[in-house]
Amino acid sequence: MQGPSWDLVADVQLLLQFHFMQNAFVAGTLVALLAGAAGYFVVLRGQSFAAHMLSQVGFPGAAGAVLVHVAPVFGLVAFCVAAALGIGWVGRNVDAGHRAESAAVGSILAFSLGLGLLFFRLYAGSAAGIYGFLFGTILGISDRDVQLTFVVALLGLGALAIFGRRLVFATVDPDVAEARGVNVRLLSIGFLVIVALSVAITVQIVGTLLIFALLVAPGASALQLTARPVRALALSVLLSLGFTWLGVALAYFSDLPVGFFISTVSFVAYVAIRAVKGASAIRRGNFQLRGAWFAAEA
Amino acid sequence: MSCAIILRILVGVAVDQKGGGMAVALERASVSLGGQLVWRDASLEVAAGEFVAILGPNGAGKSTLLKALLGVVPLSAGTARVFGRTVRRGNDQVGYLPQRRRFDPDLRIRALDLVRLGLDGDRLGVPLPSRTKEAKVGEMIELVGATAYAGRPIGELSGGEQQRILIAQALVTGARMLMLDEPLESLDLNNQQAISDLIRTICQRHLVTVLLVAHDINPILPFVDRVVYVAGGHVLCGRPEEVIRTETLTRLYGAPVEVLRTSDGRLVVVGQHEPVSYHPVDH
């Protein structure tokens, strides 16, 4: 494998010379589009924990699929969607932070990770498989995976385009939305299913443990920068795309794990945005103070 | 406030008066929630343009009364009509301010967007830029005097500012009736005064019917046309001086209650127990 030449065109050609890298870029782009869009709503609704929970439930799904010789992404979709419907059916907000519930959720998560471990052990498969599903990989994405990712991303983005505005309404003002004829409960179950789909395809790139890097961090950064819904949504998608492309490229040239790069890039971006915002707030505060001081002098 | 909107409201009222002019008509209505009777046999008529206060102890079903008139909570018996039609959710003629605490300070959406959601938040599809809709939103924000801070995130606004934005949101569909659930709660005295003045102006100048759930009638007593009292499973309606009387309320509560008038004209209801009551609906 060659290092980067720092000539953009040449480097992109270098990146895309292998089929597995083409697959990684196509799948990564699809994942980034859906995760970035869904992530805006996840952060606005305060459902980061639900996203995390769904990703962990996906782990035994992937492992189970490997065990029965099916593409792992099918297992991911099946388990995540089932879990989303389960949460929706119980009808409680898992992010509400009730102590008894968080304990229950914690036990379920531990159990599901344990189950995933068992499935992999039964398969007598390689540790690399587990490693890939926990932390992501750019190596193992087949043509079949790309096709399914395409279908899932299309479904998710289509649903968000149709129901996105209602979802924002139901999120910020559920009582009024209901009085205006929006079915708030059905919408929140439907959204969990979209999150489940996003999680299922995102896990292929960054793994279950680093899901926040693509599903939460871009939305959180975007919402720091703007409170305008359409802009924040677009920004979240752009950030997600940027993190993914940069992460995949860095992983290719360095031969270090892609999960590390994507999560690091998204973390650095988030911290930088918070720092810039914090600094500008302090500067504004200083100006106000100085203004008050001048007023007092006069 | 443009003349066009005033005209539309006036025309609306005129048409309504031809058809009886009743903004709200509740007939022998009952509501049960989770198998428990909230109130029964409630009959109530509100004329278009009236300012009505809904009073009563905690948990008596004041919010439920509004929700029944919004079509959110179904009646178990009787009929409910709003502007001559059976109640239904999503009626553009009705604006609603639910009972709530403040918006989360971290909620990152502009006040302006919240008003816009009141206009088309229930629609499907991608929101496209629309001059007419933006103009309507701007007009309502100006009407409630919130132009200066409409571009800021809703969570950063004070309680009184949020309440103005929510009133704009409730009116933006061209509503001819406002249903407000404790809009003065958790506001300081100055803001209570300012918000109740604003609601009165909207009611009088723009002929919007107002149904306002209140814990304390005194801030709005000077301009209330009628009082609806919800207590003990019953709903009673009449002019304030008819309803807020020792005999009437004692009968309604089924327990001794005394209405006192202070030297500055405020009404105080004493001796009522307000037992910690079961709230079937989460707010």
Side-chain angles (χ1 to χ4, degrees):
Chain A
M1 227 173 264
Q2 276 175 268
S5 63
W6 305 111
D7 169 1
L8 196 61
V9 178
D11 281 345
V12 170
Q13 277 173 350
L14 203 62
L15 271 172
L16 295 178
Q17 64 184 326
F18 295 112
H19 189 62
F20 80 90
M21 280 306 289
Q22 291 166 5
N23 278 356
F25 264 101
V26 174
T29 302
L30 292 166
V31 162
L33 287 172
L34 180 57
Y40 165 76
F41 295 97
V42 167
V43 176
L44 191 70
R45 292 171 67 79
Q47 285 190 312
S48 314
F49 186 64
H52 175 67
M53 190 176 145
L54 289 173
S55 73
Q56 295 219 352
V57 172
F59 178 66
V66 170
L67 189 62
V68 297
H69 303 289
V70 178
V73 68
F74 283 108
L76 280 166
V77 170
F79 267 58
C80 289
V81 170
L85 291 174
I87 298 170
W89 181 63
V90 172
R92 297 268 183 85
N93 184 355
V94 288
D95 283 292
H98 299 296
R99 269 171 227 144
E101 265 173 43
S102 49
V105 167
S107 338
I108 293 169
L109 290 188
F111 171 65
S112 83
L113 276 182
L115 202 62
L117 188 62
L118 174 73
F119 288 167
F120 265 109
R121 191 79 182 83
L122 288 178
Y123 176 63
S126 59
I130 300 185
Y131 176 84
F133 276 107
L134 289 179
F135 299 105
T137 172
I138 51 168
L139 293 175
I141 298 167
S142 69
D143 291 353
R144 269 312 276 285
D145 293 340
V146 173
Q147 285 162 8
L148 190 64
T149 303
F150 178 76
V151 173
V152 168
L154 208 63
L155 276 175
L157 288 169
L160 286 179
I162 295 170
F163 295 106
R165 175 165 31 177
R166 273 193 188 173
L167 193 58
V168 172
F169 196 16
T171 299
V172 298
D173 216 347
D175 294 318
V176 176
E178 190 168 14
R180 302 279 307 137
V182 174
N183 191 334
V184 175
R185 191 167 141 71
L186 199 62
L187 207 57
S188 74
I189 296 176
F191 178 65
L192 275 175
V193 172
I194 296 175
V195 174
L197 291 175
S198 318
V199 164
I201 61 171
T202 307
V203 161
Q204 301 178 97
I205 307 290
V206 286
T208 52
L209 295 182
L210 302 178
I211 198 95
F212 270 32
L214 284 182
L215 200 55
V216 174
S221 297
L223 277 165
Q224 284 295 319
L225 289 172
T226 175
R228 293 164 174 258
V230 177
R231 265 189 214 179
L233 180 59
L235 200 58
S236 177
V237 171
L238 285 178
L239 286 172
S240 177
L241 277 172
F243 298 164
T244 306
W245 287 338
L246 198 59
V248 171
L250 288 171
Y252 175 77
F253 287 121
S254 67
D255 219 7
L256 290 170
V258 64
F260 162 72
F261 285 113
I262 293 181
S263 55
T264 303
V265 170
S266 76
F267 175 69
V268 168
Y270 182 70
V271 170
I273 287 164
R274 297 282 323 217
V276 168
K277 278 206 71 176
S280 76
I282 289 168
R283 218 179 312 129
R284 267 205 308 280
N286 278 351
F287 280 137
Q288 271 162 15
L289 271 184
R290 230 175 284 158
W293 183 71
F294 279 126
E297 288 285 286
Chain B
M1 184 75 190
S2 81
C3 296
I5 287 190
I6 298 173
L7 192 69
R8 203 178 55 211
I9 292 168
L10 285 173
V11 170
V13 169
V15 167
D16 230 43
Q17 273 163 354
K18 227 190 284 173
M22 279 302 148
V24 172
L26 199 62
E27 233 176 293
R28 305 191 60 108
S30 306
V31 164
S32 296
L33 284 177
Q36 272 214 333
L37 191 74
V38 183
W39 37 256
R40 65 185 165 86
D41 219 10
S43 293
L44 174 65
E45 281 195 339
V46 175
E50 273 191 313
F51 194 120
V52 178
I54 301 171
L55 306 172
N58 281 333
K62 298 176 301 238
S63 302
T64 307
L65 179 59
L66 286 194
K67 285 181 184 169
L69 292 174
L70 286 162
V72 172
V73 166
L75 297 180
S76 51
T79 57
R81 290 171 162 274
V82 166
F83 293 119
R85 288 195 180 165
T86 306
V87 294
R88 61 185 168 91
R89 296 198 302 164
N91 186 344
D92 278 350
Q93 300 191 324
V94 180
Y96 174 48
L97 247 86
Q99 185 182 32
R100 76 175 89 218
R101 291 187 289 267
R102 303 261 313 262
F103 281 99
D104 185 343
D106 292 332
L107 185 59
R108 296 281 296 167
I109 192 159
R110 293 175 305 169
L112 185 62
D113 299 314
L114 213 76
V115 178
R116 174 68 183 263
L117 284 170
L119 188 60
D120 63 4
D122 55 333
R123 304 278 166 79
L124 295 176
V126 179
L128 299 170
S130 151
R131 282 273 162 86
T132 22
K133 284 179 180 174
E134 275 159 30
K136 209 182 248 178
V137 166
E139 211 168 80
M140 284 304 144
I141 288 171
E142 206 182 316
L143 172 71
V144 299
T147 312
Y149 45 82
R152 284 172 50 201
I154 187 79
E156 289 178 8
L157 303 184
S158 74
E161 289 168 342
Q162 291 186 1
Q163 218 55 283
R164 283 175 190 273
I165 290 294
L166 291 171
I167 291 171
Q169 186 204 44
L171 286 171
V172 74
T173 50
R176 297 191 290 139
M177 173 150 53
L178 271 184
M179 296 194 191
L180 310 130
D181 201 343
E182 306 221 11
L184 305 179
E185 194 192 33
S186 77
L187 294 182
D188 59 50
L189 282 176
N190 286 337
N191 269 313
Q192 282 194 3
Q193 196 59 52
I195 295 295
S196 49
D197 284 347
L198 172 65
I199 297 167
R200 172 169 61 164
T201 308
I202 290 165
C203 176
Q204 291 183 343
R205 198 172 302 161
H206 308 300
L207 299 172
V208 171
T209 311
V210 172
L211 302 186
L212 188 150
V213 172
H215 214 74
D216 177 11
I217 188 172
N218 289 303
I220 48 171
L221 189 59
F223 39 89
V224 162
D225 296 311
R226 237 138 35 106
V227 165
V228 172
Y229 217 102
V230 186
H234 297 281
V235 176
L236 194 71
C237 178
R239 289 202 308 278
E241 61 273 19
E242 292 169 357
V243 175
I244 311 175
R245 284 171 54 194
T246 300
E247 310 83 75
T248 322
L249 291 189
T250 299
R251 207 161 357 101
L252 194 64
Y253 277 89
V257 166
E258 203 172 341
V259 177
L260 306 173
R261 191 175 276 271
T262 64
S263 55
D264 58 349
R266 295 165 67 84
L267 289 171
V268 184
V269 179
V270 290
Q272 65 181 50
H273 338 241
E274 290 207 359
V276 181
S277 46
Y278 166 67
H279 249 263
V281 181
D282 253 357
H283 289 294

